[in-house]
Amino acid sequence: MPRMNYVFTSESVSEGHPDKVCDRISDAVLDAFLTEEPHARVACETFATTNRVVVGGEVGLSDQAKLSEYMGKIDGIVRSCVKDIGYEQEEFHWDTLQVSNYLHKQSAHIAQGVDRDGAGDQGIMFGYAVNETPELMPAPIHYAHAILHRLAEARKAGLAPELRPDAKSQLSLRYENGKPVEVTSLVLSTQHAHAHQTSDHIRAIVEPFIREVLPSGWLTEKTEWWVNPTGTFVIGGPDGDAGLTGRKIIVDTYGGAAPHGGGAFSGKDPTKVDRSAAYAARYLAKNVVSSGMAERCTIQLSYAIGVAKPLSIYVDTHGTGQVDEEAIERALAEVMDLTPRGIRLHLDLNRPIYARTSAYGHFGRHPDNDGGFSWERTDLTEQLKKAVR
């Protein structure tokens, strides 16, 4: 039997965190190539440090002349991302930082497997859903994201001008009878403008916005608040700590509440199953829970490079299922083509929809009208119910 009474913790980081700056740049490069050609191939990695951004990896377009043209756009993409995030500090400024571009043509040996509609690599991917929030996400990671997203909105709208882009949050939630009921501790570290600002000053700024996003009654007299617990946090972003694409895979997914296959998402086009199959697994898990078949669902998919068909489909409903798990596994294979090509078509992934995923989680977001976050739809519930037998 699963535990019903416990405390669970998840963390999030803001769009200005050094690693998230890199994720944003890598996904913006991906979007630029997909805008030019829906079947562009991109595996883009970014490194950021004091006043420098280095971009590298593999890219591919069918028109080689266009490929050379797009290589010249990388500098502008990097600066646009850093400017939008809000970095104008002395040692990390969108206008003065140095950009080094080491992108090159995709390896023909990798391309040959993908061109046959196979997976771009081997690997295991997990999807998860749970009915403890309306978005069917684990509450600790969902609200850790929400806090930082709201603070970024307030900063950019001029409602909190003392705040700067780099920030981290951490929520510990007490569960009672399997449901979150109380914040036992809240940690927030946020970059700010002036060295004389104390932890109390920063708490006075951020607390109203935090209370806006957390459910009523979760913050109590017993809640421990840790706001900028180390004191001054003026030097932030890649000037304070180097950043790299793909280092926040637990922040990007379920905050530790579910397994992770190990593959990062940002900078990878949807032929890479690290990304697309993880999106498909979340989509299917969410539809299983939305259909009422289970209160909680974990799905694992596995692939081999160059091979189209998934090697395995595994479902675990953690003792909450109303339907046999083997029946769900069979139904999933019926209602969705889980080849890499099938996933891309079903979720319409060959679009420039990825820069928006680079901060505040890839899951638990609302589907956009242009196809962004299509994996958050719950449009398979009736098909799943009919397919289970």
Side-chain angles (χ1 to χ4, degrees):
M1 289 290 292
R3 290 184 64 187
M4 302 299 286
N5 301 308
Y6 55 92
V7 174
F8 193 83
T9 303
S10 294
E11 70 155 349
S12 179
V13 297
S14 72
E15 63 199 71
H17 184 280
D19 296 332
K20 283 290 147 197
V21 172
C22 295
D23 285 347
R24 170 70 175 274
I25 292 168
S26 293
D27 274 335
V29 170
L30 169 61
D31 281 353
F33 277 88
L34 290 176
T35 298
E36 175 60 34
E37 184 177 305
H39 299 288
R41 302 285 167 74
V42 178
C44 177
E45 307 291 344
T46 303
F47 168 73
T49 187
T50 301
N51 254 346
R52 177 177 289 275
V53 171
V54 180
V55 180
E58 299 188 329
V59 292
L61 292 173
S62 58
D63 186 334
Q64 293 303 305
K66 286 285 182 66
L67 182 60
S68 298
E69 174 189 336
Y70 264 73
M71 291 298 192
K73 297 184 178 183
I74 301 303
D75 184 277
I77 291 170
V78 170
R79 296 184 193 281
S80 178
C81 290
V82 176
K83 183 178 182 180
D84 183 68
I85 291 168
Y87 276 115
E88 295 185 341
Q89 60 196 53
E90 183 177 352
E91 297 296 331
F92 197 76
H93 193 296
W94 63 269
D95 191 39
T96 59
L97 61 82
Q98 299 179 57
V99 179
S100 300
N101 176 14
Y102 296 102
L103 290 169
H104 59 85
K105 183 180 177 182
Q106 184 188 41
S107 161
H109 292 169
I110 293 177
Q112 65 186 354
V114 180
D115 290 341
R116 294 196 301 266
D117 288 332
D121 202 353
Q122 70 177 46
I124 57 174
M125 299 83 206
F126 289 92
Y128 182 71
V130 61
N131 67 357
E132 63 191 45
T133 63
E135 295 78 10
L136 303 185
M137 283 289 287
I141 187 65
H142 179 74
Y143 288 106
H145 287 323
I147 288 169
L148 294 182
H149 196 189
R150 181 67 187 107
L151 291 178
E153 290 176 339
R155 171 175 59 85
K156 293 181 176 182
L159 301 177
E162 302 91 342
L163 301 185
R164 294 294 181 264
D166 196 356
K168 301 178 77 171
S169 66
Q170 184 170 287
L171 274 184
S172 298
L173 297 186
R174 182 173 66 85
Y175 284 69
E176 190 174 284
N177 295 321
K179 301 297 180 184
V181 296
E182 179 187 16
V183 178
T184 60
S185 66
L186 184 155
V187 183
L188 180 80
S189 295
T190 181
Q191 185 185 11
H192 54 96
H194 306 293
H196 64 77
Q197 292 174 304
T198 66
S199 296
D200 289 340
H201 287 137
I202 302 304
R203 176 171 172 175
I205 295 168
V206 302
E207 184 171 345
F209 300 109
I210 292 172
R211 290 187 178 275
E212 278 183 28
V213 300
L214 290 178
S216 177
W218 279 20
L219 292 170
T220 71
E221 293 181 355
K222 296 180 180 179
T223 301
E224 294 182 341
W225 288 71
W226 302 98
V227 177
N228 283 20
T230 62
T232 303
F233 183 8
V234 172
I235 300 172
D239 182 34
D241 190 11
L244 194 66
T245 300
R247 284 204 299 200
K248 288 292 177 282
I249 58 177
I250 301 303
V251 170
D252 284 344
T253 53
Y254 308 103
H260 195 294
F265 300 156
S266 289
K268 297 178 181 179
D269 74 71
T271 67
K272 280 73 172 176
V273 285
D274 275 347
R275 183 169 217 160
S276 56
Y279 288 175
R282 160 64 179 173
Y283 173 63
L284 294 174
K286 188 173 184 182
N287 275 271
V288 167
V289 174
S290 181
S291 71
M293 293 182 188
E295 296 180 7
R296 181 180 168 202
C297 180
T298 298
I299 292 175
Q300 184 202 60
L301 303 174
S302 69
Y303 293 85
I305 188 168
V307 179
K309 183 181 177 181
L311 304 185
S312 64
I313 302 171
Y314 168 78
V315 172
D316 184 358
T317 56
H318 306 277
T320 71
Q322 303 300 310
V323 178
D324 183 77
E325 288 154 331
E326 291 184 4
I328 298 175
E329 290 167 357
R330 291 191 296 269
L332 295 181
E334 288 183 26
V335 301
M336 184 175 179
D337 178 357
L338 289 171
T339 66
R341 177 181 174 83
I343 292 170
R344 295 196 300 273
L345 291 174
H346 190 107
L347 297 178
D348 205 4
L349 296 180
N350 291 109
R351 297 183 180 211
I353 55 174
Y354 297 103
R356 72 193 73 172
T357 69
S358 61
Y360 315 117
H362 291 245
F363 307 130
R365 313 283 287 272
H366 295 291
D368 294 329
N369 292 333
D370 66 353
F373 300 105
S374 59
W375 50 92
E376 290 298 312
R377 301 190 312 245
T378 53
D379 54 354
L380 277 186
T381 55
E382 294 306 314
Q383 289 176 258
L384 272 173
K385 291 176 184 177
K386 292 178 182 177
V388 170
R389 54 184 183 274

